[in-house]
Amino acid sequence: MAELTGDELVRVLATLASPHRMRVLAALSTGRHYVSALARDLGISRALLQVHLKKLERAGLVSAELELSEDGKAMKYYQVNAFALQLTPQSVAAAAKTLTNDAADGPDRGAQQNGDS
Amino acid sequence: MAELTGDELVRVLATLASPHRMRVLAALSTGRHYVSALARDLGISRALLQVHLKKLERAGLVSAELELSEDGKAMKYYQVNAFALQLTPQSVAAAAKTLTNDAADGPDRGAQQNGDS
DNA sequence: AGCACCTGCCAATAATCATTTGCGGGTAGC
DNA sequence: GCTACCCGCAAATGATTATTGGCAGGTGCT
């Protein structure tokens, strides 16, 4: 994941630019955790955490696996995906040239139609 | 500008995570420009550009100088400030630990640095 | 059965942001 | 005076987002 398109970069940065998500990432950087435990740990509701995890996942920053605990419960374990982004005026300028969205600005909804499963 | 606090990082990332701002940065990376020209160049209104420039400036990504053109007009020239951010799970996790805002998430409103009590 | 724990999703509300439009001021030149 | 260019700001609107709370399903234990 060396070169990201402008749109992807926007998504990653927007995803990272959030205290909650930063904390989630920090928590996960110490190892995998399952949703409920993580929510308790961070002191936020599960619903809220889910949303943030989903965004982090969509940005490709974390990934998850659904596993069955020994006592039969379904647990979803999340973990951070390694990444390294170098941000400089040049890298940003380069990414800007690949932006597709030429009008909207906000957190872009993005993406052109993609089935995105 | 090696180490940024979590809050500062959030601000920088949030500022960078915008197509408009990315383009502005790209445009400025080729040299200084004054507001009106830049607006025409990017095809956006001056008012809008001002807002984005202000955010970029607040995040420390660009700086400006008001100069007098030979024909007496006041022109505000903007230029990019050099910066280099390395984003990795570790750097983000480290920044997360310095976050002051422990509840809010969205685009930060500015830290309520508790004046203590 | 009832309780405790896990997961996922949706509707509603509050809070925030992005963008437009209009106005104010200033200098130079026809 | 009027027009063209520069700058800045603020109120209003529309569009998104963040967050909550409730409800759904599942397993295992007492």
Side-chain angles (χ1 to χ4, degrees):
Chain A
M1 80 188 275
E3 302 298 308
L4 291 174
T5 70
D7 299 301
E8 290 173 330
L9 182 56
V10 167
R11 166 165 288 176
V12 171
L13 294 180
T15 301
L16 248 22
S18 153
H20 275 167
R21 269 163 252 147
M22 269 191 169
R23 289 203 202 86
V24 170
L25 222 42
L28 290 180
S29 74
T30 72
R32 15 189 294 155
H33 293 274
Y34 60 92
V35 186
S36 289
L38 195 51
R40 277 186 236 111
D41 227 64
L42 298 171
I44 62 179
S45 70
R46 248 182 33 254
L48 180 55
L49 177 58
Q50 301 249 40
V51 176
H52 288 307
L53 282 174
K54 214 157 279 182
K55 279 190 179 171
L56 284 165
E57 189 170 21
R58 223 146 80 148
L61 300 172
V62 306
S63 52
E65 293 148 16
L66 187 61
E67 292 179 19
L68 277 256
S69 66
E70 304 175 1
D71 46 325
K73 296 179 181 168
M75 328 272 282
K76 190 158 192 181
Y77 281 91
Y78 274 89
Q79 56 203 288
V80 285
N81 282 160
F83 64 87
L85 291 194
Q86 179 78 10
L87 287 183
T88 64
Q90 293 75 46
S91 67
V92 175
K97 291 175 188 167
T98 72
L99 287 171
T100 62
N101 198 3
D102 51 286
D105 176 284
D108 85 302
R109 191 65 273 92
Q112 320 303 36
Q113 61 307 52
N114 50 3
D116 170 306
S117 80
Chain B
M1 84 187 279
E3 303 296 308
L4 292 173
T5 69
D7 300 301
E8 290 172 331
L9 182 55
V10 168
R11 166 164 286 175
V12 172
L13 294 180
T15 301
L16 249 22
S18 153
H20 275 167
R21 268 163 253 147
M22 268 190 169
R23 290 203 200 84
V24 170
L25 222 42
L28 289 180
S29 73
T30 72
R32 13 189 295 154
H33 293 273
Y34 61 91
V35 186
S36 289
L38 196 51
R40 276 184 237 113
D41 227 64
L42 297 172
I44 62 178
S45 71
R46 249 189 25 260
L48 179 56
L49 177 58
Q50 301 248 41
V51 176
H52 289 308
L53 282 173
K54 213 157 278 184
K55 278 189 180 172
L56 284 166
E57 188 170 22
R58 230 154 67 157
L61 300 172
V62 306
S63 53
E65 292 148 17
L66 187 63
E67 291 178 19
L68 277 256
S69 67
E70 304 175 1
D71 45 326
K73 295 180 182 168
M75 326 273 281
K76 190 159 192 182
Y77 282 92
Y78 274 90
Q79 55 203 290
V80 285
N81 282 161
F83 64 86
L85 291 195
Q86 179 77 9
L87 288 183
T88 64
Q90 294 74 46
S91 68
V92 174
K97 291 174 188 167
T98 71
L99 287 170
T100 62
N101 198 3
D102 52 285
D105 175 280
D108 78 310
R109 197 355 17 37
Q112 312 267 327
Q113 212 42 282
N114 53 13
D116 109 71
S117 30

